[in-house]
Amino acid sequence: MTFMEKLSAAMQKNNSLVCVGLDPAIGKLPECIRNRPDAIYEFNCRIVDATKDLVCAYKPQAAYYAGQDCDEALKESILYIKKTAPEVPVILDVKRGDIGSTAEYYAKEAFERYQADAVTVNPYMGFDAVKPFLDYEDKGVIILCRTSNKFSGDLQNLVADGRPLYEHVALLVKDKWNTAKNAALVVGATYPEELKALRELCPDMPFLVPGVGAQGGDVEKVVKFGCTADKCGIIVNSSRGIIYASKGEDYAEAAGKAALELRDQINSYR
Amino acid sequence: MTFMEKLSAAMQKNNSLVCVGLDPAIGKLPECIRNRPDAIYEFNCRIVDATKDLVCAYKPQAAYYAGQDCDEALKESILYIKKTAPEVPVILDVKRGDIGSTAEYYAKEAFERYQADAVTVNPYMGFDAVKPFLDYEDKGVIILCRTSNKFSGDLQNLVADGRPLYEHVALLVKDKWNTAKNAALVVGATYPEELKALRELCPDMPFLVPGVGAQGGDVEKVVKFGCTADKCGIIVNSSRGIIYASKGEDYAEAAGKAALELRDQINSYR
């Protein structure tokens, strides 16, 4: 089953467009778990247990594992998802981008070492930096387009030939790069008008939409502007808003509740 | 000592603008070493032994270690450089870029976990994606500007307000981001006219110049167009051209010879 098929099936089965970002920072974990040697893995497992019937994807952010020297916890967490929630795809958020011969090794990292179903990549270096990922045709390749952060406009809003840079990215992906139909775009929730314009440019392509929750994106606009004609097409990521819903011993239960609320809130606008 | 001071001192001491890219692929290592359990670490150490008096920097490419599941070899190789060639700075080539709270973890990865002196980063997400790296003021932050690969122009050549995108990056870095004077730019050797224009825009900023050797960049033009007024200012990277100069048992000796030749070739044009 390809990433796109798996994503679509998980959206149907769980009636959900919610993606949970697994971005565990040791210092922010509940005290009851923080000092365990396997704290990050254990935390992720309990979050997965509590949310696996409520989501369409998980998105571990590689930086948290790389920066805290716990690659093994990332690998084991993905294996745990594959064992306990095999129907839910895993998007490894790495935002890589490099010359082709190097990007091949990053593709191996994501798809072979970590067994991710999809990966995020950066388009700045152009087609040959993205192709080694796209060549894994069963995997998803989610390309940064309009990102959710405050200064994303520094480059992305520059206008060339009458279009902002991020629209050029969308058109390159849609018209040239996506020959295997395994590409998607990252479009932040914090810029809903841009989301709307991008959906008009790319009526069918899935969008990974970060930026609701801690970053303040408007859920109603995201759903109304972002969904495809079949009322799917968006993967709405929340990380901190779900995984840190409680800092107490009820953290997993609270995460499940937060995921349910976000799922239902999204569905109320579909 | 800051990265910039260390780089300048190494350029002086070794009379060299050569950077050796430590990008070891197991399948391409000499047969005499390939099957050792510590092959990558051992290979790097012997390359360092043979080149440490001939270079101004080493640049391990993180993808090779991540993709071959040997992060420990990366860490140990950097420690080996710090022990045997403490005057030569290490640039960890990771090309990261993410929202601020995430980029902090990538900065920790590069500067704390791996003890790199400098790092490469991707500017597509804007200032807040780069700032967590720049905040390590003693470290170097080398920002992708005009990259050496074939399709780098897909986005980088788009013209906004009369300038190609990569010149906007150069000006953002020079005029706004580089408040601690620890930034540099990646400018590929394969586009010498663009290198010339960028040097005119940024007369003093160091450029990391990949693309000579296997990628075919012209050394004479790189030196003539890229050097600053003091005949420094460029870090000329060669990876495959040096580390794979021989596939025989003389691989280290051959790497030393290739590094010496590149150093002297560069110096003949300075």
Side-chain angles (χ1 to χ4, degrees), chain B residues 88-104:
Chain B
V88 180
V90 175
I91 300 164
L92 187 58
D93 195 357
V94 290
K95 301 188 176 67
R96 301 293 193 252
D98 213 307
I99 64 169
S101 54
T102 297
E104 285 175 19

Side-chain angles (χ1 to χ4, degrees), chain A residues 25-26 61-71 75 93-99 101-102 105-106 108-109 113 122-129 144-152 154-156 158-161 165-166 168-169 172 177 215 240, chain B residues 25-26 61-71 75 93-99 101-102 105-106 108-109 113 122-129 144-152 154-156 158-161 165-166 168-169 172 177 215 240:
Chain A
I26 277 282
Q61 166 52 259
Y64 285 85
Y65 305 88
Q68 296 176 107
D69 201 352
C70 59
D71 311 294
K75 188 168 182 173
D93 195 357
V94 290
K95 301 188 176 68
R96 301 294 192 253
D98 214 307
I99 64 168
S101 55
T102 297
Y105 283 89
Y106 278 134
K108 269 186 215 289
E109 178 194 25
R113 179 175 177 186
N122 187 309
Y124 186 73
M125 292 181 67
F127 177 58
D128 45 348
L144 299 185
C145 178
R146 181 61 163 117
T147 61
S148 59
N149 56 309
K150 184 172 174 190
F151 289 93
S152 60
D154 279 351
L155 300 184
Q156 294 166 33
L158 290 174
V159 174
D161 300 328
L165 179 62
Y166 61 87
H168 285 276
V169 172
L172 276 169
W177 298 357
Q215 293 183 62
R240 290 167 276 184
Chain B
I26 277 283
Q61 166 52 260
Y64 285 85
Y65 305 87
Q68 296 176 107
D69 201 352
C70 60
D71 311 294
K75 188 167 181 173
D93 195 357
V94 290
K95 301 188 176 67
R96 301 293 193 252
D98 213 307
I99 64 169
S101 54
T102 297
Y105 283 89
Y106 279 133
K108 270 186 214 289
E109 178 194 24
R113 180 175 176 186
N122 186 309
Y124 186 73
M125 293 180 67
F127 176 59
D128 43 348
L144 298 186
C145 178
R146 181 62 163 116
T147 61
S148 59
N149 58 308
K150 182 171 175 190
F151 289 93
S152 59
D154 278 352
L155 299 184
Q156 293 165 34
L158 291 173
V159 174
D161 299 329
L165 180 62
Y166 61 87
H168 285 276
V169 172
L172 276 170
W177 298 359
Q215 294 183 61
R240 290 167 277 184

Side-chain angles (χ1 to χ4, degrees), chain B residues 22-254:
Chain B
L22 296 172
D23 306 357
I26 277 283
K28 290 187 181 165
L29 296 190
E31 284 190 15
C32 61
I33 196 173
R34 194 184 295 173
N35 296 318
R36 290 178 58 148
D38 63 345
I40 285 180
Y41 172 69
E42 175 68 16
F43 179 76
N44 284 343
C45 291
R46 297 295 78 77
I47 298 288
V48 169
D49 291 342
T51 57
K52 65 190 166 70
D53 296 321
L54 302 167
V55 302
C56 68
Y58 287 106
K59 183 178 74 64
Q61 166 52 260
Y64 285 85
Y65 305 87
Q68 296 176 107
D69 201 352
C70 60
D71 311 294
E72 206 54 29
L74 174 58
K75 188 167 181 173
E76 293 297 325
S77 297
I78 293 174
L79 285 175
Y80 186 81
I81 296 167
K82 295 200 168 267
K83 193 176 65 182
T84 58
E87 71 284 2
V88 180
V90 175
I91 300 164
L92 187 58
D93 195 357
V94 290
K95 301 188 176 67
R96 301 293 193 252
D98 213 307
I99 64 169
S101 54
T102 297
E104 285 175 19
Y105 283 89
Y106 279 133
K108 270 186 214 289
E109 178 194 24
F111 298 140
E112 299 180 27
R113 180 175 176 186
Y114 290 114
Q115 297 285 310
D117 298 297
V119 70
T120 56
V121 303
N122 186 309
Y124 186 73
M125 293 180 67
F127 176 59
D128 43 348
V130 178
K131 184 174 182 299
F133 296 96
L134 292 168
D135 285 345
Y136 286 76
E137 298 190 356
D138 287 352
K139 303 291 190 176
V141 182
I142 309 177
I143 296 157
L144 298 186
C145 178
R146 181 62 163 116
T147 61
S148 59
N149 58 308
K150 182 171 175 190
F151 289 93
S152 59
D154 278 352
L155 299 184
Q156 293 165 34
N157 280 354
L158 291 173
V159 174
D161 299 329
R163 288 190 182 283
L165 180 62
Y166 61 87
E167 291 192 1
H168 285 276
V169 172
L171 291 175
L172 276 170
V173 175
K174 180 187 163 204
D175 296 335
K176 294 190 176 172
W177 298 359
N178 191 23
T179 52
K181 303 293 172 204
N182 59 339
L185 298 175
V186 174
V187 183
T190 45
Y191 300 99
E193 297 301 325
E194 287 88 335
L195 175 65
K196 189 176 180 186
L198 286 164
R199 179 51 77 206
E200 284 162 15
L201 277 184
C202 303
D204 302 315
M205 198 176 295
F207 292 169
L208 171 63
V209 185
V212 304
Q215 294 183 61
D218 179 323
V219 174
E220 180 173 4
K221 286 185 178 165
V222 164
V223 177
K224 295 209 162 150
F225 296 163
C227 278
T228 44
D230 58 357
K231 303 191 175 174
C232 287
I234 53 173
I235 307 161
V236 182
N237 185 74
S238 174
S239 301
R240 290 167 277 184
I242 290 176
I243 67 175
Y244 299 141
S246 161
K247 295 286 178 78
E249 291 191 8
D250 64 338
Y251 70 91
E253 192 188 335

Side-chain angles (χ1 to χ4, degrees), chain A residues 15 25 50 117:
Chain A
N15 187 30
D117 299 296

